[in-house]
């Protein structure tokens, strides 16, 4: 009895152990399956994200490389289509939409005709017109009101004849169109033109373009043949004849280290040498020393002439005042250059190149209003004092909106002892002369009033 119970208990224990082992194995299988599922899910989720990132990177690189090229190509194509052609294309698109939407036969015929006309006009754009173009401006520097005359020569350098065509010559914001006849091989054709100038500025003449288009004027294509030429339209100036600007300061020139036999700055005495001017003999020292003694001088500098032109837009009431101020600055600067003065011309944006009269007028031709944050006449005077501390004569040119207080403040910023002349462009009939501190102030209403006004100041 006892043996039977022991056998049953051992049997039950073995069954429970087997069942436990089977449960553990099943749990391990389930865990491994779960791990496999998790890894599969993570791999499946990671792979699309990685491929999507790579795809967007490729798209971004393609846009960066080909985007500007496509944009340029679209812009070139759009430049060929004229406004009338855009209207015709829009009408054709509307007719085709009506044809496929409503099935109208009349609309289909009209759309087909318009499309055929557009395609035929496009044929005229193909091909090239080979001219050798020579653009010659007799004068590239003129004064406002003068005409700039030039010649345009086209030569057929090919071995075949060139059909009649049109040549476009851009001039600033406008353009001129010339009808060129049929040119045989080696033939030439010359066109003369005149450019009227009514405003100061720098005009770009060219580039010369050969125009190709259709008879209906729907499309137009050009071929540039030569680079543009700059035409400088100088401001009007007046000749200050008989006026030596800066002469009052020549006798007060600053001495330099170079010694001279004759000047106005006395340096020392030395013994007489053959060739010395007897007028410089110092007779008292000669009698005291017993040898002939002559004066020795230091060379003095020429007058440093400074022109400050304010370009602040709020200082001028009208555009004519601004042009008058530019003409005044140009006239004064040219007179200083003719007197062989050291000229320093400056505006709010910086110094103007004034090595010669032509270069100075070229700078004035391209001059425009400065930004308000760059300051007005007071800030300009401070810049003149900083960059030209050894100036002898300073001429400030501004507009009529500058009051006496600001002119006084501007003059106070200049170096001490400088001769200051302020010229105000105003709408008055006769010039007005007054004093503000140590400065002479002249108000002008026209350029021809400048010589008389400056003569009064110097007298």
């Amino acid at each position: 009895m006892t043996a039977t119970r022991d056998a049953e208990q051992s049997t039950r224990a073995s069954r429970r152990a087997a069942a436990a082992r089977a449960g553990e194995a099943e749990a391990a299988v389930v865990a491994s399956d779960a791990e496999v599922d998790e890894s599969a899910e993570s791999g499946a989720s990671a792979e699309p994200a990685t491929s999507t990132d790579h795809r967007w990177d490729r798209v971004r690189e393609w846009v960066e490389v080909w985007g500007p090229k496509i944009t340029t190509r679209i812009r070139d194509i759009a430049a060929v289509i004229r406004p009338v052609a855009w209207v015709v294309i829009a009408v054709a698109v509307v007719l085709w939409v009506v044809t496929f939407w409503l099935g109208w036969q009349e609309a289909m015929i009209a759309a087909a005709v318009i499309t055929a006309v557009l395609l035929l006009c496009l044929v005229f754009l193909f091909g090239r017109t080979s001219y050798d173009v020579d653009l010659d401006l007799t004068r590239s520097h003129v004064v406002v009101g003068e005409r700039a005359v030039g010649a345009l020569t086209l030569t057929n350098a090919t071995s075949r004849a060139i059909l009649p065509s049109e040549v476009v010559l851009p001039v600033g914001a406008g353009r001129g169109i010339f009808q060129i006849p049929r040119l045989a091989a080696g033939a030439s054709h010359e066109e003369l033109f005149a450019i009227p100038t009514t405003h100061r500025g720098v005009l770009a003449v060219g580039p010369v373009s050969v125009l190709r288009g259709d008879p209906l004027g729907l499309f137009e294509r050009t071929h540039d043949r030569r680079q543009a030429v700059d035409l400088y339209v100088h401001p009007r100036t007046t000749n200050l004849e008989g006026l030596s600007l800066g002469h009052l300061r020549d006798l007060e020139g600053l001495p330099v280290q170079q010694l001279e036999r004759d000047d106005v700055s006395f340096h020392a005495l030395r013994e007489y040498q053959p060739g010395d001017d007897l007028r410089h003999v110092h007779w008292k020292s000669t009698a005291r020393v017993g040898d002939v003694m002559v004066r020795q001088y230091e060379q003095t500098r020429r007058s440093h002439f400074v022109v400050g032109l304010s370009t602040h837009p709020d200082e001028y009431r009208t555009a004519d005042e601004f042009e008058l101020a530019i003409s005044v600055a140009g006239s004064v600067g040219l007179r200083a250059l003719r007197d062989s003065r050291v000229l320093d011309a400056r505006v709010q944006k910086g110094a103007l190149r004034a090595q010669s009269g032509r270069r100075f007028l070229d700078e004035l031709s391209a001059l425009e209003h400065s930004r308000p944050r760059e300051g007005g006449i007071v800030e300009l005077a401070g810049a003149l004092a900083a960059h030209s501390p050894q100036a002898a004569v300073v001429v400030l040119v501004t507009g009529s909106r500058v009051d006496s207080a600001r002119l006084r403040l501007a003059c106070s910023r200049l170096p001490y002892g400088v001769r200051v002349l302020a010229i105000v462009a105003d709408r008055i009939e006769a010039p007005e002369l007054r004093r503000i501190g140590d400065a002479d102030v002249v108000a002008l209403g026209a350029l021809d009033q400048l010589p008389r006004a400056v003569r009064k100041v110097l007298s």
Side-chain angles (χ1 to χ4, degrees), residues 330-345:
S331 302
V332 173
L334 289 179
R335 181 68 261 175
L337 290 174
R338 293 191 185 102
D339 292 340
S340 299
R341 308 301 177 194
V342 178
L343 176 62
D344 183 11

Side-chain angles (χ1 to χ4, degrees), residues 1 3 50 150 283:
M1 191 76 177
T50 304
W283 296 108

